[in-house]
Amino acid sequence: MNELSRPADGAASAFLPVYEPDLSGNERRYVLEAVDSTWISSRGAFLDRFEGAFGEVVGTPHVTAVCNGTVALHLALHCLDLQPGDEVIVPSFTYIASVNTIVQAGAVPVFADCTAEDWLLDPVDVERRITPKTRAIMPVHLYGAVCDMDRLCALAERHRLEIVEDCAEALGSTWRGTHVGRFSAAATFSFFGNKTVTTGEGGMVMARDAAMLRRLRIAKGQGMDPDRRYWHVAMGFNYRMTNVAAAIGLGQIERLPAILARKKAIAARYRANLANHPFAFQEMRPEVDSSDWLVSLLLPRGANRDAVMERLARLRIETRPVFYCAHHMPHHERPDLVLPVSEDIAARGMSLPSYPALTDADVDRVCEALVEVVQRRG
């Protein structure tokens, strides 16, 4: 048994997951209140309270809660009235839901590359891919970083396109002081268990205005007229959040400033500890205030990522690869498409433990283990 496979003693042997939710606030109390009220499905006081609190964070009341982040994307795209053959430009380097929902909405995903510095949608490559069939651009704000919204909004205005922001990983992130999602016809958020705010499963859609919000609310509730029960005025779905999930979300969002502050401190410590080692982090543009959702980095070229992750796992440190490129997936494969920046990031990227309860000693332990493992060439 070598040193790296030998279990450590004491605190160093504790398992460090990539993420775990912090449920130490009012979450339990609010859930019990929801249960005691008997309002446990998609109606109840906590839904209004959660949407209201979320709206205060993002700076607009035009928000509506849904049952997960994927249906949030589909709902937003559905309400753009996309037609068969319409194109939506999306980064290939993204979680697959960004792409699948474009197809679900009847449109065609057009894959664009990302920039090497921030790993996000490259406006230059987006412009190359605009055609007469293009209807929308989908910026995806990965890991808490924010796309170049000045250039993307200018492109959209010049070509009369809509923007749908995928903000699943960017609650708390801003561009020039404006919260992500405020640049779109509709924008979406996720509250999966590993997100900055969780409801277990859940999502939110932010609308540009009251008219779009009304469309979203009708569509998420089976197309029923909100003023006439069981009269259905449009094609719709059952995408509603439950009152119990909203109760968890309210308890979470009450502590959002403290959660964000701790996550920023964790990210800063990772960057400081690893500054003199051959790792590359996402570089935030000066206009960005990142929520630092999930600290991710690129391993040096030549390192075996799978072997690095396996050896860290033997040290009871969980990591995960960044996303694989969507244009390499069997159901979206584009054999002739080469996106060199996205493909390089997808091959070398790795995410580290990033949950708010991590201590400084935990972060130091991860850094020390990572450096040692990589120095041994993974």
Side-chain angles (χ1 to χ4, degrees), residues 52-303:
F54 187 90
E56 290 181 8
V57 168
V58 298
T60 175
H62 300 139
V63 299
T64 188
V66 294
C67 54
N68 62 62
T70 299
V71 304
L73 278 166
H74 180 240
L75 185 67
L77 291 163
H78 171 79
C79 288
L80 292 185
D81 292 328
L82 298 171
Q83 301 300 309
D86 284 349
E87 296 175 348
V88 178
I89 299 175
V90 62
S92 181
F93 179 62
T94 184
Y95 182 56
I96 199 64
S98 310
V99 181
N100 285 347
T101 51
I102 294 170
V103 177
Q104 284 180 279
V108 177
V110 174
F111 297 118
D113 211 348
C114 57
T115 63
E117 294 76 22
D118 64 9
W119 312 357
L120 303 178
L121 190 61
D122 181 357
V124 174
D125 198 44
V126 169
E127 188 163 24
R128 294 190 195 106
R129 300 180 189 279
I130 294 173
T131 75
K133 296 181 179 180
T134 306
R135 279 289 313 282
I137 302 169
M138 184 185 287
V140 184
H141 306 305
L142 291 177
Y143 307 118
V146 182
C147 299
D148 186 339
M149 295 312 299
D150 287 355
R151 296 175 71 183
L152 291 172
C153 288
L155 276 178
E157 183 175 1
R158 186 157 66 248
H159 294 275
R160 298 183 178 179
L161 306 175
E162 297 285 11
I163 289 180
V164 175
E165 290 170 81
D166 183 343
C167 310
E169 301 176 357
L171 177 61
S173 298
T174 62
W175 175 267
R176 297 188 187 277
T178 297
H179 200 284
V180 293
R182 298 289 303 281
F183 305 92
S184 306
T188 67
F189 297 80
S190 170
F191 305 129
F192 184 63
N194 64 7
K195 297 302 189 291
T196 301
V197 160
T198 183
T199 60
E201 285 278 4
M204 192 77 73
V205 187
M206 178 194 299
R208 174 173 50 205
D209 52 35
M212 175 59 84
L213 180 64
R214 180 179 172 83
R215 294 196 64 192
L216 292 165
R217 285 179 168 164
I218 289 173
K220 83 168 187 180
Q222 302 283 25
M224 189 167 68
D225 188 331
D227 301 316
R228 187 180 180 186
R229 292 191 71 183
Y230 304 118
W231 182 254
H232 300 268
V233 295
M235 176 65 183
F237 317 93
N238 182 3
Y239 284 173
R240 297 166 295 195
M241 178 180 281
T242 69
N243 196 42
V244 172
I248 299 172
L250 180 62
Q252 288 273 286
I253 209 160
E254 287 176 344
R255 294 181 296 110
L256 182 60
I259 292 171
L260 289 173
R262 180 58 194 153
K263 289 172 70 63
K264 287 177 180 291
I266 289 168
R269 194 170 187 91
Y270 271 125
R271 289 172 180 264
N273 284 358
L274 297 174
N276 297 319
H277 297 279
F279 305 106
F281 289 90
Q282 276 181 300
E283 296 179 19
M284 305 299 165
R285 298 177 185 274
E287 300 90 347
V288 173
D289 182 7
S290 173
S291 60
D292 292 305
W293 169 61
L294 192 64
V295 178
S296 303
L297 49 72
L298 301 184
L299 296 175
R301 287 183 174 85

Side-chain angles (χ1 to χ4, degrees), residues 338-358:
V338 177
L339 300 175
V341 178
S342 298
E343 291 166 14
D344 179 58
I345 293 169
R348 295 195 290 131
M350 188 174 76
S351 299
L352 306 176
S354 303
Y355 54 97
L358 278 176

